[in-house]
Amino acid sequence: MTYIPNPARYKNMPYRRCGKSGLMLPAVSLGLWHNFGAIDSPENARTILKLAFDSGITHFDLANNYGPPAGSAEETFGEIFKDDFKSYRDELIISTKAGWGMWEGPYGDWGSKKYLVASLDQSLKRMGLDYVDIFYHHRPDPETPLEETMGALDLIVRQGKALYVGISSYSASETEAAIAILKQLGTPCLIHQPKYSMFDRWVEGGLLDVLGDKGVGCIPFSPLAQGLLTNKYLKGIPESSRAASHRGNGAIEEDAITDDKIAKVIKLNEIAVNRGQNLAQMALSWILKDDRITSVLIGVSKPEQVTDSIKCLENLSFSSDEINAINGILG
């Protein structure tokens, strides 16, 4: 059956300008880090992607190593894109990344021009795309000169393989240097994708200031600390949870769920309930309250989690008492 998207899909999703660019992103974007690999249900993945687009989520975020196994999330997405989304390519923002280990030998990791160009060629083939909208360097490379890595991003745009480029997990100083090089090359840095949640606030130590000052967008990943900032672990570790699945590929493990974290989650949950939200919704709202944030990436395993996450948009404002209480809990 031919997929026909919801005709009202753009009515309720707000779109935010990405830095000083012409690009708008949905306030909530969908990440395919987990639950879209070869070990996962392709039909569940298809249902999630359709529901996301029906809800106004136009941005799907991938990387070469998403799966498991690495590369399989792009393959899954490619099959679904071919069947259901090809007619809507111009309504979609599709991103991918390279920077972690992908193949044997010295050319399949980090940030060389050789690796980045080859990796994107592979990603485009897996997804069946002529270009991606955003291509990221996934992590800093301490050995390769930054000029070479940024030069590769510039080259990729000039080749027509990506419309925009970004960086991920760079420190504030590394980000400032990367932005300067890309500006000189004539291919601006569009966006930064950092790990950011109530439990991981490192970006507040300078990175957000750099992005705000330079007019670069920001799209945090793991805003729910991979499920820890939800109601899922309030009474232990469910057998069906990500922490119990031992998926690897950066997924949360059981030892990350400590008594101290759960005690904080319980207190945060009380504030969320008083706001008329569940904890996951409040955790997303808490990130989106900052106008330097362009969009927030959600990762879901069930379609209903898409709908639930989007409800965060119904209340993005926090009182000073709520902010103080949350900061007091987080320490």
Side-chain angles (χ1 to χ4, degrees):
M1 184 179 294
T2 302
Y3 166 56
I4 300 175
N6 174 14
R9 59 191 176 277
Y10 294 115
K11 288 188 176 179
N12 297 315
M13 174 62 68
Y15 297 85
R16 297 182 172 191
R17 186 164 301 280
C18 192
K20 293 180 180 177
S21 77
L23 188 67
M24 309 282 281
L25 294 180
V28 176
S29 298
L30 181 65
L32 280 68
W33 182 9
H34 299 292
N35 307 309
F36 291 83
I39 67 170
D40 302 295
S41 163
E43 287 312 307
N44 185 58
R46 188 183 302 271
T47 301
I48 289 170
L49 285 165
K50 287 181 178 179
L51 178 58
F53 190 51
D54 285 343
S55 304
I57 294 177
T58 53
H59 178 25
F60 301 147
D61 179 75
L62 297 104
N64 59 356
N65 65 328
Y66 288 178
S72 60
E74 290 181 330
E75 291 172 347
T76 297
F77 176 77
E79 285 298 314
I80 298 169
F81 174 81
K82 179 182 66 175
D83 294 341
D84 298 314
F85 290 100
K86 200 165 188 177
S87 298
Y88 306 98
R89 176 66 182 97
D90 294 338
E91 296 184 46
L92 295 173
I93 301 297
I94 300 167
S95 62
T96 195
K97 315 175 197 73
W100 291 89
M102 273 299 289
W103 61 86
E104 295 296 321
Y107 316 121
D109 199 354
W110 293 105
S112 71
K113 182 181 291 186
K114 169 70 173 175
Y115 169 53
L116 295 182
V117 171
S119 180
L120 180 53
D121 284 346
Q122 293 178 18
S123 291
L124 292 173
K125 185 176 180 180
R126 283 192 287 264
M127 293 189 284
L129 300 177
D130 296 323
Y131 70 95
V132 291
D133 297 277
I134 307 170
F135 182 63
Y136 293 86
H137 185 222
H138 209 163
R139 61 169 173 167
D141 181 348
E143 302 297 331
T144 300
L146 190 58
E147 290 80 3
E148 177 178 341
T149 303
M150 295 304 105
L153 298 184
D154 173 67
L155 173 65
I156 282 164
V157 170
R158 295 181 188 280
Q159 290 176 329
K161 296 174 183 177
L163 301 184
Y164 303 92
V165 294
I167 54 178
S168 178
S169 301
Y170 277 52
S171 70
S173 60
E174 290 166 336
T175 296
E176 199 159 16
I179 290 170
I181 294 170
L182 285 169
K183 182 179 180 180
Q184 186 176 26
L185 291 170
T187 298
C189 182
L190 175 80
I191 195 166
H192 189 298
Q193 186 175 134
K195 190 175 186 180
Y196 184 29
S197 72
M198 285 179 163
F199 283 154
D200 193 348
R201 301 175 65 176
W202 71 275
V203 302
E204 297 171 14
L207 179 61
L208 285 177
D209 291 333
V210 169
L211 299 179
D213 291 344
K214 302 297 182 181
V216 174
C218 183
I219 182 167
F221 71 92
S222 292
L224 304 183
Q226 296 198 54
L228 191 52
L229 286 164
T230 69
N231 299 335
K232 186 182 298 182
Y233 298 109
L234 290 176
K235 298 180 180 179
I237 302 176
E239 288 184 10
S240 61
S241 67
R242 186 181 298 181
S245 69
H246 305 292
R247 296 176 63 90
N249 197 31
I252 191 171
E253 297 288 349
E254 290 167 317
D255 59 6
I257 303 171
T258 64
D259 291 342
D260 176 63
K261 284 278 173 61
I262 293 301
K264 291 180 178 180
V265 166
I266 291 170
K267 292 177 182 177
L268 291 169
N269 187 60
E270 293 173 359
I271 296 175
V273 169
N274 290 332
R275 284 172 49 83
Q277 295 180 310
N278 61 36
L279 179 54
Q281 290 162 357
M282 184 179 79
L284 295 172
S285 298
W286 183 82
I287 287 179
L288 285 168
K289 74 184 187 305
D290 192 320
D291 60 11
R292 294 170 296 186
I293 301 296
T294 311
S295 179
V296 64
L297 280 165
I298 59 169
V300 304
S301 58
K302 301 173 184 176
E304 54 265 31
Q305 292 171 339
V306 174
T307 304
D308 185 74
S309 296
I310 292 172
K311 289 179 180 177
C312 76
L313 300 171
E314 296 173 7
N315 186 5
L316 296 182
S317 61
F318 287 77
S319 69
S320 57
D321 287 344
E322 287 172 333
I323 293 292
N324 291 336
I326 290 169
N327 286 333
I329 293 167
L330 298 175

